[in-house]
Amino acid sequence: KQWYQRRVAITAGEFNFSKMSHRKFRAPRHGSLGFLPRKRCARHRGKVKTFPKDDKTKPCHLTAFMGHKAGMTHILREVDRVGSRSHKKEVVEAVTIIETPPMIAVGVVGYMETPRGLRSFKTVFAQHISDECKRRFYKNWYRCKKKAHTRTGQKWADEDGKKSIDADFDKMTKYCVAIRVLCHTQPKLFKLQEKKANIMEIQINGGDIAQKVDFAKAMFEKPINVKDLFSQNEMVDIIGVTRGHGYKGVTYRWGTKKLPRKTHKGLRKVACIGAWHPSRVCFSVPRAGQFGYHHRTEVNKKVYRVGVKGDAKSASTPFDLTDKPITPMGGFHHYGQINEDFLMLKGCVMGPRKRVLTLRKSLLVHTKRVALEKINLKFIDTASKWGHGRFQTDGEKKAFQGLLKKDREME
């Protein structure tokens, strides 16, 4: 008996049963269920589903804007965050450039409160509406009769029509709790192939209802600039549709583990898609399907710079005095040049180049040091994004390499 106990102890010491590995039967799931259903978005433009909370003590202002993603570059800046390891140190960060030409206000919508939420009460359109905006109301502009909003202009020209319009504005002031402005983009300023304007409702916050209605009336048929909404160091939210990837398998779409190499009929699969009962596939089981082109909202993107149209020094800084615009040499990939106002945002945003994005004022009151930090740009990269990018400007390249044959012939 003693011999047997001693032999068991030796065997346990040799094989160390207490530390033997075992198969894990539980693991965190792959992919988030918070974004279901992962299907193609019904709309191409990002929709604002929640506007910032209204504060009547502030002056009237708009809460959203639209622009197109142009491309990315990088900047050098000095961190100003006391207590951080990066304080007073230089960091290089990626930034996104969003071109934001002026938008045009063409209407106003009043919303009244109901037991089931807000309901549109009255809509008033401006007297003149451009063809860019009217194109959005038709599927085929070439074949249509182009009669949209012809009576709207007649209403403004007639005395009785003006009285009815004033009556609508008075009813808005009396019954409505929210006022939103109908604004559209100007595709002719983007130099893209699209001709239809993107239209959206932008809520007016600040002031009482009468002030909001007057504010909206004063904006009719006038351009709205991005610098009137956003400023440097501000935090904004980006709403848009992600880059589409088509029909993808379960390993790419959900990040599930690949099966062993010798697996029959493929290994980029889910081995078991459910128990015998319930005799159906549960919604939470990863499956192949559409990946990308989903509606998403990214919050708290910091504005590093608000650019103005026609500024030849839009990429210059106090530390880099070179006269250079924000467009890199050779232009942004598959976009071209920035000829209008633009926003420079920290990091990346959803969607491919040329995708229309909605910029919304932040829903939060920011108190963190990262959000309140003042941005001090030292350098903005404008080297070519097509190659290795050795030169920041065309003049710098010619000074180093000399003139080309075609440039000498022009002289």
Side-chain angles (χ1 to χ4, degrees):
K1 187 177 180 181
Q2 292 175 351
W3 171 85
Y4 176 74
Q5 289 175 343
R6 190 164 57 252
R7 183 61 189 157
V8 169
I10 293 170
T11 308
E14 288 175 358
F15 292 100
N16 198 2
F17 289 125
S18 60
K19 295 183 180 180
M20 188 174 73
S21 63
H22 63 280
R23 172 72 174 87
K24 284 174 63 178
F25 292 102
R26 291 180 181 84
R29 67 161 291 110
H30 288 275
S32 172
L33 297 179
F35 296 103
L36 291 181
R38 290 179 187 250
K39 61 180 186 178
R40 285 178 60 82
C41 186
R43 62 184 76 85
H44 186 69
R45 174 184 60 83
K47 181 181 179 181
V48 179
K49 299 182 180 180
T50 305
F51 283 99
K53 193 174 180 181
D54 192 8
D55 185 2
K56 295 181 179 180
T57 59
K58 294 181 179 178
C60 293
H61 60 276
L62 295 175
T63 52
F65 205 80
M66 277 194 287
H68 284 70
K69 180 176 175 178
M72 294 186 72
T73 183
H74 64 267
I75 57 97
L76 177 76
R77 72 179 183 94
E78 189 177 277
V79 178
D80 182 19
R81 205 181 310 148
V82 179
S84 170
R85 289 183 178 181
S86 304
H87 183 55
K88 296 295 182 185
K89 292 182 180 178
E90 292 181 344
V91 294
V92 177
E93 292 174 335
V95 291
T96 303
I97 309 299
I98 299 176
E99 193 171 15
T100 52
M103 296 177 68
I104 305 295
V106 292
V108 58
V109 186
Y111 285 84
M112 62 187 297
E113 191 75 69
T114 70
R116 292 175 297 279
L118 294 177
R119 179 179 72 84
S120 61
F121 175 63
K122 288 286 180 184
T123 303
V124 177
F125 279 91
Q127 183 175 3
H128 303 101
I129 299 176
S130 66
D131 285 349
E132 291 178 318
C133 182
K134 288 180 182 177
R135 279 176 182 268
R136 181 55 64 180
F137 304 139
Y138 291 102
K139 188 151 183 87
N140 192 325
W141 178 253
Y142 172 74
R143 293 184 184 278
C144 74
K145 295 182 178 179
K146 305 176 178 61
K147 292 283 187 181
H149 291 283
T150 50
R151 292 183 180 178
T152 306
Q154 297 169 1
K155 214 173 183 183
W156 281 92
D158 185 34
E159 287 298 324
D160 292 336
K162 283 184 179 178
K163 287 180 181 177
S164 68
I165 290 170
D166 291 336
D168 288 344
F169 280 127
D170 292 338
K171 287 179 181 177
M172 281 188 200
T173 307
K174 186 175 181 182
Y175 297 111
C176 292
V177 295
I179 303 295
R180 295 177 185 173
V181 181
L182 277 166
C183 300
H184 71 81
T185 58
Q186 300 183 75
K188 63 185 178 184
L189 301 179
F190 279 111
K191 306 297 183 187
L192 302 180
Q193 288 185 344
E194 72 173 349
K195 297 178 181 178
K196 287 185 181 181
N198 289 289
I199 308 174
M200 72 173 294
E201 290 182 6
I202 303 176
Q203 184 162 301
I204 299 174
N205 281 1
D208 57 20
I209 297 299
Q211 291 172 331
K212 289 176 181 173
V213 171
D214 294 338
F215 183 76
K217 283 166 63 177
M219 282 195 298
F220 272 6
E221 302 177 26
K222 292 181 181 176
I224 303 164
N225 295 305
V226 71
K227 63 181 180 182
D228 300 331
L229 273 78
F230 303 113
S231 59
Q232 189 173 341
N233 305 319
E234 188 177 347
M235 303 294 271
V236 300
D237 300 340
I238 308 293
I239 305 166
V241 178
T242 61
R243 182 194 297 263
H245 294 272
Y247 192 96
K248 287 292 183 181
V250 69
T251 303
Y252 188 100
R253 193 180 185 217
W254 291 95
T256 55
K257 205 165 188 64
K258 286 164 61 176
L259 300 178
R261 181 186 61 82
K262 295 181 72 173
T263 306
H264 184 52
K265 290 188 177 180
L267 48 83
R268 295 175 66 90
K269 299 173 180 290
V270 173
C272 177
I273 59 171
W276 191 311
H277 289 290
S279 54
R280 53 192 166 271
V281 180
C282 186
F283 77 96
S284 59
V285 177
R287 308 287 275 163
Q290 172 67 30
F291 182 76
Y293 204 75
H294 307 310
H295 189 274
R296 294 289 180 264
T297 302
E298 285 191 37
V299 297
N300 301 342
K301 294 285 185 182
K302 201 171 187 72
V303 178
Y304 275 11
R305 176 163 287 193
V306 180
V308 183
K309 176 185 177 180
D311 184 8
K313 301 180 180 180
S314 55
S316 301
T317 66
F319 296 88
D320 179 21
L321 300 176
T322 309
D323 293 350
K324 55 181 184 178
I326 193 65
T327 306
M329 290 185 67
F332 281 106
H333 276 203
H334 305 288
Y335 187 88
Q337 295 187 341
I338 302 288
N339 298 316
E340 299 291 328
D341 301 345
F342 68 88
L343 282 184
M344 181 190 289
L345 302 180
K346 179 185 177 182
C348 61
V349 298
M350 74 286 289
R353 295 167 293 268
K354 304 180 185 178
R355 177 64 49 87
V356 62
L357 299 172
T358 304
L359 308 156
R360 180 187 64 188
K361 281 190 172 289
S362 181
L363 303 179
L364 310 174
V365 178
H366 293 283
T367 56
K368 293 187 176 180
R369 287 187 303 169
V370 175
L372 301 176
E373 183 182 356
K374 301 296 181 185
I375 301 302
N376 181 23
L377 297 180
K378 284 192 168 183
F379 171 76
I380 300 171
D381 182 60
T382 56
S384 174
K385 307 301 175 191
W386 292 97
H388 292 288
R390 294 178 60 190
F391 308 104
Q392 293 294 314
T393 61
D394 189 50
E396 183 183 332
K397 181 179 179 180
K398 288 177 179 176
F400 182 83
Q401 292 186 340
L403 293 176
L404 297 173
K405 183 180 178 181
K406 60 179 182 179
D407 295 328
R408 287 198 299 271
E409 289 174 353
M410 289 175 63
E411 289 182 349

